[in-house]
Amino acid sequence: MALDTVAPQRPGTAPSAEQRRQARLGTIGSTIGNAVEWYDFFLYNTAAALVFPALFFPDSSAYAGRLQAFATYAVGFAARPVGAALFGHWGDRIGRRATLLATLLLMGGSTVLVGLMPGTASIGMWAPVLLVLLRVLQGFAAGGEWSGSVLLAMEWGDQRRRGLAASIPQMGVAFGLILGTGFLYLLSWRLSAEQFAEWGWRIPFLLSTVMVAVGLFIRVRVLETPSFARRVEQGRLHRLPALDAIGKHWRTILLCALARMSEMAPFYVITAFALGYMTRDRGYSTSFALAAIMSAAVVEMAVIPLAGRLSDRFGRRRVYALGAVLTAGYGFVLFAAIGTGVAWLAFGGVLLALVPHGLQVAPQASLFAESFPTSVRYSGAGMGFHLASVIAGGPAPLVATWLLVTTGSVYAVAGAVVGCSVVTLVALALLTDRADADIDDDAVYQSLPR
C-alpha cells in the first residue's frame, strides 16, 4: 500500500519548499479541525453549567441539578480514553489523515443533535438518557482528535522546531473556547434569560455544521505524513498498535496522564466550575463571566506559540514545570479576585488564569508525542493524554462543587489544585525529554523513561 506524501526532511537540514507547504496545510488543518472539535466540546461544558440543570433535571434541587449536569459532562471524559484507543488503532494502521476526517464528522454530528434535543418536559427521562449517549459520542471523537492533530502538524513540521510545530494545534483549544463562549456570550447579552434558556443556547450547537464543513475542506487537502508513509512502505506497521502501546509503553502512558493533572483539572475548574460559581454564588452576570473566560482564552492563544518556541530552546520539561508551579499558586489568586465582588478585579483574575495553562499545553504536545515511536505514536500519545480525562478533567467540576458545599470555602478547591501540581511535577521528573532526538529512530525508545 502506497500513500501520497513527499520525501521526509533529512536530519539537521532545512525542509524543502513542498515540505513547508504541506507543513502549513497540516498545521492549519490541525488547528482549525482541533478548534472545531473543542468548540463542540466546550459548548456542552458551558451549557452544562448554565442551562442543562433546569432543562434536563428540573425536579432536582439547584445543587443536585448542578451535580447531575456535571455528571453527564464527566461521562464524555470517561469515553475519551476509549476513543483514543479506538481511533489510535486506526491512526497507526491506516494513517493520521483519514482518521482525523472521521473524528471531525463524529464530533460535529453529535453536537448538532445535542442542539436539537428536547428537554425532560417534552420526552421525559429519555431526554437525559439521549443526552448522555450524545456526550459519549462526543467523548469518542475528542479522544481520537488530539493526538492525530498534533502528529499531523509535528510530523510535517520542521523537525528542528517540533515544539513550536506541535504547539500550534494546541491553540485550537483556546480558539474553540473563544468561539463557544463567544457565541453564548452574544446570545446571553442579546436575549432575555427566558429566551436564552428556552432556545437561544441551541444556536451555537447547530452552527457546528458550518465549522465542520470548513474543517473537512482543509483536512482533505493534506497528504499523509512522511513518518507514517515510510512505515507503510517498509511494512513496519503493528497489527494491534493500541494493545502494543499498552503492553510496551504502559509506564509512559501513565506518566503522561499524571503529568496532565495540573493542566487539565484546573482548566475545567476555571472554564466550567468557576463559571457557575461566579454566576450562582457570587452574583456576576452570565455575560460578564463568559466575557472574562473568553478574554482569558485570547491571552492564552498568545502564550501557546511562545511557550512552544521556548520548549525548543530550553526543553519541554522546564517550560511545562514552570506552568505547573504557577498553577499551584494561581488558584488562590483567582478565587480571591472573584470573591472581592469588584468587577474589574474579578475580570483581571480570570483574564490571566489560563496563562499557566498555556505554558503547559504548548510543550505538552511535543513532549507526549515524542515519548512514543512512530508505529504506536497515535495510540500511545492519545491514550496518555486522554487517560487524564478520567482522573482529572471529568471529575474536576464535580469535586470542586462538592468541596465548596462541604467545606463552605472555595479555597478548598485552590488547595486541591496545589495537589494536582505536585503530581505533575513528579511525573515530569520521570518522563524523558526527547526534544533533540530523531523520533523516527526506534532505537531512541529502547530505554525506560528516566
Side-chain angles (χ1 to χ4, degrees):
M1 178 176 66
L3 297 175
D4 291 333
T5 188
V6 299
Q9 179 185 352
R10 299 176 65 182
T13 64
S16 67
E18 181 59 23
Q19 288 164 356
R20 288 195 296 271
R21 191 180 78 85
Q22 282 297 318
R24 286 194 297 271
L25 284 174
T27 300
I28 294 171
S30 294
T31 305
I32 292 178
N34 210 16
V36 172
E37 297 277 356
W38 293 110
Y39 164 82
D40 294 348
F41 209 76
F42 290 139
L43 276 181
Y44 190 103
N45 300 346
T46 306
L50 300 178
V51 177
F52 289 173
L55 184 64
F56 294 105
F57 308 102
D59 296 329
S60 302
S61 66
Y63 169 58
R66 199 185 313 183
L67 284 179
Q68 288 168 320
F70 280 140
T72 66
Y73 158 93
V75 165
F77 283 90
R80 283 163 70 172
V82 181
L86 175 64
F87 286 108
H89 168 86
W90 293 113
D92 286 325
R93 285 288 300 168
I94 65 174
R96 287 65 163 119
R97 176 179 176 271
T99 305
L100 284 172
L101 294 175
T103 63
L104 190 59
L105 286 170
L106 181 59
M107 176 64 85
S110 57
T111 300
V112 169
L113 290 176
V114 170
L116 296 173
M117 275 286 300
T120 300
S122 299
I123 60 174
M125 288 305 297
W126 278 108
V129 170
L130 292 174
L131 182 68
V132 169
L133 176 61
L134 292 174
R135 183 58 171 173
V136 168
L137 293 179
Q138 279 191 324
F140 282 147
E145 168 65 24
W146 179 83
S147 54
S149 64
V150 166
L151 296 189
L152 199 65
M154 189 184 80
E155 292 181 351
W156 265 120
D158 187 343
Q159 294 304 291
R160 300 168 301 174
R161 297 184 177 91
R162 291 196 303 258
L164 174 61
S167 73
I168 301 301
Q170 296 287 70
M171 295 174 65
V173 179
F175 190 50
L177 180 59
I178 291 169
L179 290 176
T181 56
F183 274 129
L184 289 173
Y185 167 76
L186 291 174
L187 290 168
S188 67
W189 176 55
R190 296 294 298 175
L191 302 176
S192 68
E194 292 75 18
Q195 290 173 323
F196 179 78
E198 184 176 350
W199 56 267
W201 67 271
R202 299 179 183 274
I203 295 175
F205 283 83
L206 301 179
L207 286 176
S208 178
T209 54
V210 178
M211 299 184 66
V212 168
V214 173
L216 288 173
F217 175 77
I218 297 294
R219 284 190 171 176
V220 295
R221 301 173 65 196
V222 184
L223 300 179
E224 187 54 74
T225 69
S227 295
F228 182 79
R230 186 163 55 250
R231 290 293 172 123
V232 173
E233 292 172 0
Q234 296 171 347
R236 297 170 62 194
L237 300 180
H238 289 221
R239 190 171 64 88
L240 297 171
L243 291 180
D244 289 342
I246 295 172
K248 298 178 182 178
H249 302 277
W250 64 268
R251 186 169 181 259
T252 304
I253 291 173
L254 181 59
L255 288 174
C256 288
L258 294 176
R260 293 199 68 200
M261 289 295 293
S262 69
E263 171 263 306
M264 194 174 202
F267 180 79
Y268 289 105
V269 166
I270 295 167
T271 59
F273 167 78
L275 182 61
Y277 175 71
M278 290 177 73
T279 55
R280 290 191 180 93
D281 299 293
R282 305 307 304 182
Y284 296 96
S285 69
T286 297
S287 59
F288 175 85
L290 288 172
I293 291 176
M294 182 172 59
S295 300
V298 173
V299 172
E300 184 179 26
M301 284 190 68
V303 171
I304 287 175
L306 174 61
R309 188 68 188 93
L310 289 174
S311 77
D312 284 322
R313 182 174 181 181
F314 300 107
R316 320 297 188 216
R317 292 189 300 183
R318 290 181 181 177
V319 179
Y320 202 139
L322 174 62
V325 171
L326 292 177
T327 296
Y330 200 81
F332 296 95
V333 175
L334 172 64
F335 290 122
I338 294 173
T340 63
V342 179
W344 70 269
L345 282 175
F347 192 93
V350 176
L351 179 68
L352 299 177
L354 294 181
V355 170
H357 182 259
L359 289 171
Q360 295 176 85
V361 297
Q364 176 189 91
S366 50
L367 177 65
F368 288 8
E370 291 166 347
S371 295
F372 299 90
T374 302
S375 54
V376 297
R377 186 170 294 144
Y378 201 129
S379 303
M383 286 187 288
F385 183 86
H386 288 295
L387 180 59
S389 304
V390 179
I391 61 178
L398 283 168
V399 172
T401 300
W402 177 79
L403 285 172
L404 176 62
V405 171
T406 55
T407 67
S409 173
V410 75
Y411 292 110
V413 179
V417 169
V418 174
C420 291
S421 295
V422 172
V423 172
T424 290
L425 292 171
V426 173
L428 285 176
L430 297 174
L431 271 171
T432 300
D433 192 332
R434 295 188 172 94
D436 299 323
D438 178 4
I439 57 172
D440 285 334
D441 182 1
D442 284 352
V444 170
Y445 300 92
Q446 297 305 311
S447 60
L448 290 173
R450 293 189 296 271

